[in-house]
Amino acid sequence: EPMTGYTMLRNGGVGNGGQPWVLRWSSRIRLTWLSFTLFVILVFFPLIAHYYLTTIDDADDAGKRIFGPRTGNELCEVKHVQDLCRIRESVSEELLQLEAKRQELNSEIAKLNLKIEACKKSIENAKQDLLQLKNVISQTEHSYKELMAQNQPKLSLPIRLLPDKDDATFPLPKSNRNCRLHNCFDYSRCPLTSGFPVYVYNSDDFPFGSSLDPLIKQAFEATVRTNVYVTENANIACVYIILVGEMQEPVMPKPTELEQQLHSLPYWRTDGHNHLIINLSRKSETQNFIYNISTGRAMIAQSTFYDAQYRPGFDIVVSPLVHAMSEPNFLEIPPQVPVKRKYLFSFQGEKIESLRSSLQEVRSFEEEIEGNAPADYDDRIITTLKAVQDSKLDFVLVEFTCKNQPKASLPTEWALCGERDDRLELLKLSTFALIITPGDTHLVISAGCAMRLFEALEVGAIPVVLGEQVQLPYNDVIRWNEAALIIPKPRITEVHFLLRSISDNDLLAMRRQGRFLWETYFSTSDNVFSTVLAIIRTRIQIPAAPIREEPAVEIPHRSGKAAGTDPNMADNGDLDLGPVETEPPYASPKYLRNFTLTAMDIYRNWNSAPGPFHLFPYTPFDPVLPSEAKFLGSGTGFRPIGGGAGGSGKEFQAALGGNVPREQFTVVMLTYEREEVLMNSLERLNGLPYLNKVVVVWNSPKLPSEDLLWPDIGVPIMVVRTEKNSLNNRFLPWDEIETEAILSIDDDAHLRHDEIMFGFRVWREARDRIVGFPGRYHAWDIPHQSWLYNSNYSCELSMVLTGAAFFHKYYAYLYSYVMPQAIRDMVDEYINCEDIAMNFLVSHLTRKPPIKVTSRWTFRCPGCPQALSHDDSHFHERHKCINFFVKVYGYMPLLYTQFRVDSVLFKTRLPHDKTKCFKFI
């Protein structure tokens, strides 16, 4: 079979035999050729290319270049090359800009380094100046202390005598009837700084305790438990008190037995000095059983005294304790107006025994005028008063014989007729109430006369006391001529003329003063006991204990939220509202006249202070006299004189000036579960000048949210927790309030800073007034014969709402502790009218209307949740409140005013270089 070529080659030769060597030679030739070709390509081609690149580019004709650099347009003809070119250009521009910025920053860094060096030098200079100022201040303080030490006497406290020490050196008076404080009172037991501690014996520990009237005993014990001066430590006591009356007739001990029991008191110390024996009378027939008892050097307080028994300036004439265990019902007390009542005067009584002996002949009035004074003027009084009644010139009612059995009385004393309710009904119809003193001139005061005085003051009948020798209750501290007429008995024929000549204004003033005295010193057992202690404390010149402040229980809260500035609040134009540098919070200076005022202003304090003397021994709104310092507040009120630098423009804006050049105010904000509204209101106070702190009265039992973040407004925010939801909490005298000025503001009130500052400046000019923004007035409803509350726009007002008003902290004490409780109870009942109550109180005390500033009639913020005032019953309740308050006060104390204070700067902006002052129009 023939073989193909391929088979021959595989077998290594041609034909049948094959040639293997030919194949091997052929393969070697191919490898050699490939290697040579690669060598030529790799070696000679680069050399040739390099030659052409170096020779052809040297040609003169640039257009004939083949491998030389080309222009940008030629290179960017390809699309992706164009993108790369754009990127290169952008990066180049950024690099140029960064380089420019780097150079600019280097320049600024150099400048800042220079400033840092300058600041370091300034800081060093400031440190030196500060060190010098500290040295000057230290030297000044040292000099001040030296001057004060030179000008102030060194005081040492009196030596305190203990009960078990010997009193042999104590001077003895010739007779116990000659006792006065200087010879029968141990001052060493009562240092000025002692606080006037009083120890009260428990009457049940002694046999006579079972004979005491249960009502008087119970009322006395209840009063003692709440009195601030009472102490259980007899070793430190200044005065020791024992209650011995009123006693019940059937079980009354004998005088000798009572005397022995008194002398056996644990701290009597042989003569009873620094002891006070109290004999209270609840009835007009109370007997003077202490008259025959030896009381040693002990003081006596009772309603009946003979001249041989009474020691002026030592013993105390007290009022009867009629309301032993009950508060007076203000709804039963008649109003003080109209001034004139049905009867010009009235008298009911019966005289059981006369001084005129049966052998003494009745002398004529002509004989009396000639100088032979009668022994008893009662007959002449009876004749004259009957003649006035028969003349019919005025309606008078005089009865000298009781229709029923008269009350028991002392000899020569006019006994009371009828029951107490019947007597009060007659006095309610009488303008004046006659009180005829006993015919026995040795009887300086009797329980019957004191009872007539009490009933007359209670119902607003002006007392007319016939007999100038009488010693009326608390006569050594009360100016009775401001509330009563004390006429000698020989002037009985002129009494009618005198009573008719008194004007209505004087009558109303005397009736109002009588009501004040009755409410303050007569009406309750607490008032009677506190008044007795206050008299002793005033006599020995110990200042009153500070009235308590309401402790503020703070609610913990988180602050730190930066408060913004509302443009509506801060847009004050070119008017600067406060000092250039915001001063830190500081309190009003403390009251420093506790000791001097007690000795200087006794009569003024007792007769005109707006509150009980034992609570408020001063009035806070005295006029400022040159080179003098006056008190302006309750507990925080020393006012330094001077500092009114005057000035205008910027000088006026940079400081308050005036008589109190350095002063701040506290914002008291009442809120109830309106967190968002509250936070917005607090933020609006940011940057407010002269703001001391903000007291938020949280009136809800539900605490604020734990995650609530309170704003940081630059001054402290105190969140106070209250015991109950009451609008009266707005006026509590919180101990956190350290300034005299209080801005009471609702949580939804929307006031600008310039308005607040203007109101603060106005209040500083009238510190005894309420100064606020929204005004209201009262009106008489003729068809219904009652008072109405009116909120319509008017040019006349009588109230300023305390939802945005300034007032003195002094009124917070009066509102919370002195104002009748019935008013606060009605505020709690209606959850309304607390602002009306405060206006009533201030107008009643000052007899001045409030002051309205700016033309604002409302202050509510837009979009705030609905308030209590939007309720339909809101105005009906306020009508009822006004009429109830009038019954409590006995008259309408609110006064109308058409006066409003506006600042011209609210309408006119003056240049900085011109005079800029607040102007009142």
Side-chain angles (χ1 to χ4, degrees), residues 4 37 70 88 184 195 262 266 272 330 370 416 423 484 524 592 605 653 659 683 783 832 905:
T4 62
T37 303
R70 299 175 182 269
R88 187 192 65 177
C184 288
L262 290 177
F330 291 100
E370 291 176 359
L416 293 170
R423 297 194 299 270
T524 64
L592 301 178
N605 295 328
Q653 299 166 11
N659 296 315
E683 288 188 4
N832 199 345
L905 296 184

Side-chain angles (χ1 to χ4, degrees), residues 16 108 170 203 219 311 314 366 389 437 483 491 494 533 588 605 615 691 775 812 841 883:
N16 294 330
E108 292 181 0
F170 199 57
S203 300
R311 296 164 292 186
F314 193 74
E366 288 75 11
Q389 185 177 24
T437 59
R491 293 191 179 277
E494 302 171 331
L533 293 185
S588 297
N605 295 328
L615 294 179
L691 179 59
L841 174 67
N883 287 280

Side-chain angles (χ1 to χ4, degrees), residues 52-53 55-71 74:
Y52 277 99
L53 290 174
T55 57
I56 296 176
D57 289 343
D58 294 336
D60 295 335
D61 189 1
K64 295 182 180 180
R65 290 181 181 179
I66 299 174
F67 300 102
R70 299 175 182 269
T71 62
E74 293 175 344

